[in-house]
Amino acid sequence: MEQNIAFERCIDFLTRMIEKYGDELLDEIQGMEEIEAEQKEAG
C-alpha cells in the first residue's frame, strides 16, 4: 500500500514536470539535433 502511494506521488510529480517543461525540453532537443546534422554536413 505504501509503495503504491509513493508511486502515485512520483507519477504526479513527473506529470507536472512534463506539463511545465515538456515543450521547452523538446525544443532544446530539436535544436541539438539540428546542430548535429549541420556538423555532419560540414564534415
Side-chain angles (χ1 to χ4, degrees):
M1 183 71 170
E2 288 180 31
Q3 288 179 341
N4 205 18
I5 293 169
F7 179 75
E8 288 181 19
R9 287 179 58 206
C10 179
I11 295 300
D12 289 341
F13 171 78
L14 291 174
T15 300
R16 287 193 309 271
M17 293 300 103
I18 290 169
E19 289 173 348
K20 186 172 183 178
Y21 299 109
D23 290 336
E24 182 180 335
L25 185 58
L26 288 174
D27 290 343
E28 186 175 330
I29 291 168
Q30 185 177 14
M32 291 171 59
E33 290 175 347
E34 290 173 359
I35 291 171
E36 289 177 5
E38 290 173 1
Q39 289 176 347
K40 286 182 182 177
E41 290 175 3

